[in-house]
Amino acid sequence: MNGRRVLRMTLTTFLAMVLLVVLWEGYKWVGQQTGDRVPGTDIELRVTTDDLTMPHAKDILAELVSDIRDGRNTLPMSVYLLKKAWFTLQEAAIGFFLGLTVGLALAVLMLRWRVVERGLLPWINVSQTIPLIALAPIIVTWGRINDLPDLFSISLIAAYLTFFPVAVSALRGLQSPNVADVELMRSYAASWGTTLFKLRLPAARAYLFPAFKIAATLSVVGAIVGEISIGTKTGLGRAILEFAQRYAVFPERLYASVIGAAALGLSVFGLVSLVERIFTGRTREVVA
Amino acid sequence: MSEAAVVVTGVEKVFGRGSAGEVTALSGVDLTIEPGEFVTLIGPSGCGKSTFLRLIGDLIEPTAGSVDVFGKSAHQARLDQDYGMVFQHAGLFDWRKVAANIELPLELKGWSKAERTARSREMLDLVKLPDFGGHYPRQLSGGMQQRVSIARALSFEPRLLLMDEPFGALDEMTREHMQGELLRIWRETGTTVVFVTHSISESAFLSNRVVVLSPRPGRIHSIVEVDLGERTEDTREDPEFFRTSTEIREALRAVEDGS
Ligand SMILES: Nc1ncnc2c1ncn2[C@@H]1O[C@H](COP(=O)(O)OP(=O)(O)OP(=O)(O)O)[C@@H](O)[C@H]1O
Ligand SMILES: [Mg+2]
C-alpha cells in the first residue's frame, strides 16, 4: 500500500518532468519554424527561442554531468551543485526550525490571549508585504555588527518567510476543536495547558503539516534569496548569481543551477511529507 | 440525613444581557435531586434543557440563584471531577483509539498506565464492545461510538452523570437496547443521572422523575413521578408505562398550548 503510493508519486513526478520538457522543446520548435512569431500571424513571441534564451533540454541535462572547475578541482556539475546545496540546506534547515518555533509560539500566545491575537495578527500579515530583498541587507548588517556569521543571518531571512504560514495555520488548527470537545475537557477540570496538549495540539496536526511543507520550501527560497542579496561566498544562491553573470557564455549552467534549486526545494518538501506520515499515522488530513 | 446530589435554587440564566439578542433561557428554577436518582428533563426545543444541564455541570454560570452539587458549589464539584458528561454527539477524539478515548479522564486524573488499561477493558466489557479497544472511533458505527462515549463518562465512576440527548442520533432498536444498558449500568454503579431527551417513552422508561419544562422563559412546568419498579423489556408493554407516558404527554401538550 505504502509502496504503491511512492511508486505513483514517482511516476507522476516523472510524467510532469517529461511534459515540461515536451512543452519547452515544442515551443522552441514552433518558434524556430516561424522565425519567433505566433504561427499564422506577424506577432512576435515575447520569449525568443534561440539557443541563448532557450537552450535545448538535452544541453541543460548534459550540463549536469559535464565538468566544471571548483577552485583547484574539476567536478561534474551535479556534484558541484550538490556541494553548494549542502550549505544552502543548512541555512534553510536552521531557518525552518527557527521559523517553526517562532510561528508556533506566536500561535499559542494568540490562542491564550485574545488581545494578543487582535494586536499581533495584523502585524504578522504586514510583515509579509515587506520585500525580502529590502530586508536582507538590514538583517545581515545587524548580524555583522553583532559578530554573527552570515550563515545565521541568512537563516534569519529564511525564518522570516517560514514563521508566517506556521503561525497562521497553527492558530487556525489550535482553534479548530468544537465547543463540545472544549467543554468535555472543562468538565474534567483540565487546565489550559492540559487542554492544549491533549486536545488542541493533536487537533491542529491536520493544519500544521500542510503549513510545515510550505514553510520547508519557503525556507529554501529564503536561504537562496538571502545568499544572493548579501553576496556570500558559497551556496546555491551564490552559484546562481555567478552563472547569471556569465549567462551569455554558458546559458545551460544557469538553467542547471535553477534545476538544482528546484530539486532542493522538492527534497525538503518530501522530507517533511515523510515525517508527516510517521507522525499522523492513520489519521488523514481533514483540511487544506 | 443524606445530603442531596443536586440542589438548584432560584436559578435564572440570561444570555446576552443588555444586548439586542437578550434571551432568558431559564427563570426561577428550583429542583432537588437525591443521590442515586435518575431524573429526566423534557420539553419543547429551545426551552432550556441543555442550558439547565450545563448550569449543573458548571460549564456556564447562572445569572441569579445557585447550584449546589453534593453539598458544595457546582464549580467546586467540577474541580473535584464529580461529573461525567455525555453529549448528543459522541465527541470522541479521532486521533485516539477507542481504549485511549476511554482512558482520557483517567489520564488527566493521573492514573498509572496499568490501572488505565485494566479499567478501559472493564468499561469496554460493560458497554459490550470488548474487541474494539484498538479501533479508531471512525471505524465504529454511531451507536458504538455513543457507547464508547458513555464508557468514557463512566470510567472514573463520577458521582453525577449528565447526559444531553445521548441517544438522539440512534435508530429505535439501538436506542431501546442502549436504554436497557444504561439502566443496567446505573443500577450497578449507583450513580446519579440527569438526562435530557425529546422522547416521551424514553423519559418514562428511564427515570424516577420526569421534569417537564416550559419555554420562554424556561421554567419547571410540572414533575411526573414514575413508579415502574425494576425495568425489563416487558415494562414497555406495562399499563403503568402507558399511564405514565400519557401523563407526560399531557403535560407537554399543556406546555405547548402555553398554559
Ligand atoms: N450560548 C448561548 N448564547 C445565547 N443564547 C443561547 C446560548 N445557549 C442557549 N441559548 C438560548 O437559550 C435558549 C435555550 O437553549 P437550550 O439549548 O438550553 O435549549 P434546549 O431545550 O436544549 O433545546 P433543544 O431541545 O433544541 O436542544 C434558546 O433560546 C437558545 O437560543
Ligand atoms: Mg439541547
Side-chain angles (χ1 to χ4, degrees):
Chain A
M1 173 200 99
N2 211 340
R4 267 177 53 185
R5 262 183 74 90
V6 172
L7 190 71
R8 210 172 56 216
M9 276 260 290
T10 320
L11 215 67
T12 349
T13 315
F14 180 72
L15 280 178
M17 281 174 178
V18 169
L19 187 70
L20 193 69
V21 170
V22 167
L23 283 174
W24 178 271
E25 289 295 333
Y27 179 88
K28 189 170 163 74
W29 182 81
V30 170
Q32 296 291 302
Q33 300 305 308
T34 60
D36 282 342
R37 281 168 217 286
V38 177
T41 66
D42 263 353
I43 306 167
E44 288 189 11
L45 289 175
R46 296 303 297 255
V47 180
T48 57
T49 57
D50 54 284
D51 284 351
L52 183 60
T53 319
M54 289 182 69
H56 276 293
K58 71 167 169 29
D59 292 336
I60 297 172
L61 293 179
E63 185 59 39
L64 284 171
V65 289
S66 66
D67 286 344
I68 182 167
R69 285 185 56 87
D70 179 26
R72 251 170 287 145
N73 309 318
T74 323
L75 298 168
M77 182 63 150
S78 46
V79 178
Y80 175 82
L81 288 176
L82 219 57
K83 272 180 67 178
K84 302 287 168 186
W86 173 239
F87 281 95
T88 308
L89 180 65
Q90 291 174 19
E91 298 154 356
I94 299 174
F96 174 74
F97 286 110
L98 215 61
L100 193 136
T101 313
V102 171
L104 281 178
L106 286 176
V108 170
L109 284 177
M110 288 191 286
L111 175 76
R112 184 71 184 84
W113 292 286
R114 261 280 137 77
V115 211
V116 179
E117 180 183 349
R118 242 175 288 136
L120 212 56
L121 209 49
W123 290 106
I124 288 178
N125 286 310
V126 165
S127 75
Q128 299 303 300
T129 63
I130 302 172
L132 208 54
I133 298 287
L135 203 70
I138 302 177
I139 293 180
V140 173
T141 311
W142 283 347
R144 286 182 181 157
I145 290 172
N146 290 300
D147 284 332
L148 292 170
D150 282 356
L151 179 128
F152 186 73
S153 300
I154 294 171
S155 300
L156 275 183
I157 295 167
Y160 185 78
L161 281 188
T162 55
F163 93 94
F164 179 73
V166 175
V168 171
S169 302
L171 181 61
R172 268 189 54 196
L174 292 173
Q175 290 173 339
S176 69
N178 58 38
V179 180
D181 289 349
V182 176
E183 286 193 342
L184 182 75
M185 295 304 282
R186 201 175 135 78
S187 79
Y188 298 141
S191 67
W192 186 85
T194 308
T195 307
L196 178 68
F197 284 105
K198 297 283 182 193
L199 171 62
R200 293 188 184 276
L201 271 177
R205 278 185 313 186
Y207 294 76
L208 281 177
F209 277 102
F212 289 168
K213 283 187 247 178
I214 296 170
T217 9
L218 278 180
S219 71
V220 171
V221 172
I224 290 177
V225 171
E227 285 170 0
I228 290 179
S229 54
I230 73 169
T232 44
K233 289 183 193 60
T234 186
L236 264 185
R238 172 70 183 193
I240 290 173
L241 193 64
E242 252 170 45
F243 294 142
Q245 283 157 0
R246 298 165 66 197
Y247 185 81
V249 195
F250 302 112
E252 302 85 7
R253 288 193 176 166
L254 181 61
Y255 283 106
S257 58
V258 168
I259 289 176
L264 181 60
L266 274 178
S267 311
V268 295
F269 185 90
L271 210 62
V272 176
S273 306
L274 203 73
V275 174
E276 175 184 23
R277 284 196 69 77
I278 295 166
F279 261 85
T280 51
R282 302 171 60 102
T283 34
R284 296 302 312 143
E285 258 169 48
V286 290
V287 283
Chain B
M1 184 195 99
S2 81
E3 85 192 345
V6 180
V7 181
V8 175
T9 325
V11 157
E12 175 202 68
K13 178 67 191 178
V14 181
F15 286 108
R17 170 153 277 171
S19 74
E22 181 176 304
V23 178
T24 306
L26 287 174
S27 166
V29 174
D30 297 288
L31 183 67
T32 301
I33 298 172
E34 297 305 324
E37 218 184 344
F38 197 126
V39 170
T40 294
L41 309 177
I42 195 168
S45 181
C47 70
K49 302 182 293 294
S50 299
T51 305
F52 199 168
L53 210 64
R54 284 149 50 86
L55 280 167
I56 297 175
D58 188 46
L59 295 176
I60 51 176
E61 281 171 15
T63 40
S66 66
V67 181
D68 292 303
V69 176
F70 302 117
K72 52 201 170 187
S73 69
H75 183 70
Q76 191 55 47
R78 182 170 65 80
L79 294 186
D80 291 349
Q81 298 174 312
D82 285 342
Y83 298 116
M85 299 210 182
V86 184
F87 303 100
Q88 180 162 8
H89 298 284
L92 303 176
F93 292 176
D94 61 11
W95 55 88
R96 283 173 168 253
K97 289 180 176 170
V98 164
N101 264 290
I102 296 175
E103 290 169 27
L104 174 70
L106 310 178
E107 223 171 285
L108 299 181
K109 283 177 172 253
W111 289 33
S112 76
K113 180 70 201 147
E115 290 172 312
R116 295 200 309 258
T117 313
R119 175 53 62 87
S120 72
R121 219 171 268 145
E122 267 173 52
M123 296 316 297
L124 282 167
D125 285 341
L126 189 71
V127 295
K128 302 256 155 61
L129 291 169
D131 302 325
F132 287 89
H135 286 59
Y136 280 96
R138 81 193 120 72
Q139 296 172 297
L140 271 56
S141 75
M144 291 156 89
Q145 290 185 21
Q146 199 55 267
R147 275 186 272 169
V148 175
S149 165
I150 292 171
R152 177 178 63 186
L154 292 169
S155 64
F156 57 101
E157 296 177 345
R159 300 174 72 188
L160 182 59
L161 197 55
L162 303 176
M163 309 178 86
D164 195 348
E165 300 184 47
F167 307 145
L170 305 184
D171 67 86
E172 196 65 22
M173 286 313 291
T174 317
R175 195 174 175 135
E176 288 188 358
H177 173 73
M178 295 288 294
Q179 289 167 2
E181 296 288 295
L182 177 60
L183 283 182
R184 178 174 60 78
I185 292 165
W186 171 63
R187 272 196 305 270
E188 282 173 18
T189 57
T191 177
T192 310
V193 183
V194 185
F195 190 98
V196 168
T197 182
H198 273 130
S199 159
I200 293 167
S201 59
E202 184 165 86
S203 68
F205 186 74
L206 291 175
S207 349
N208 302 124
R209 279 193 295 161
V210 178
V211 177
V212 182
L213 295 173
S214 66
R216 282 174 301 275
R219 290 176 190 282
I220 294 179
H221 171 270
S222 52
I223 296 178
V224 177
E225 301 277 343
V226 185
D227 189 13
L228 288 169
E230 181 100 344
R231 267 55 157 198
T232 63
E233 281 312 302
D234 293 336
T235 308
R236 296 183 197 279
E237 275 135 41
D238 192 320
E240 179 62 16
F241 177 71
F242 287 116
R243 202 200 57 71
T244 310
S245 299
T246 307
E247 197 180 334
I248 299 166
R249 183 170 296 111
E250 276 165 5
L252 278 171
R253 283 229 180 92
V255 162
E256 301 271 8
D257 292 346
S259 61

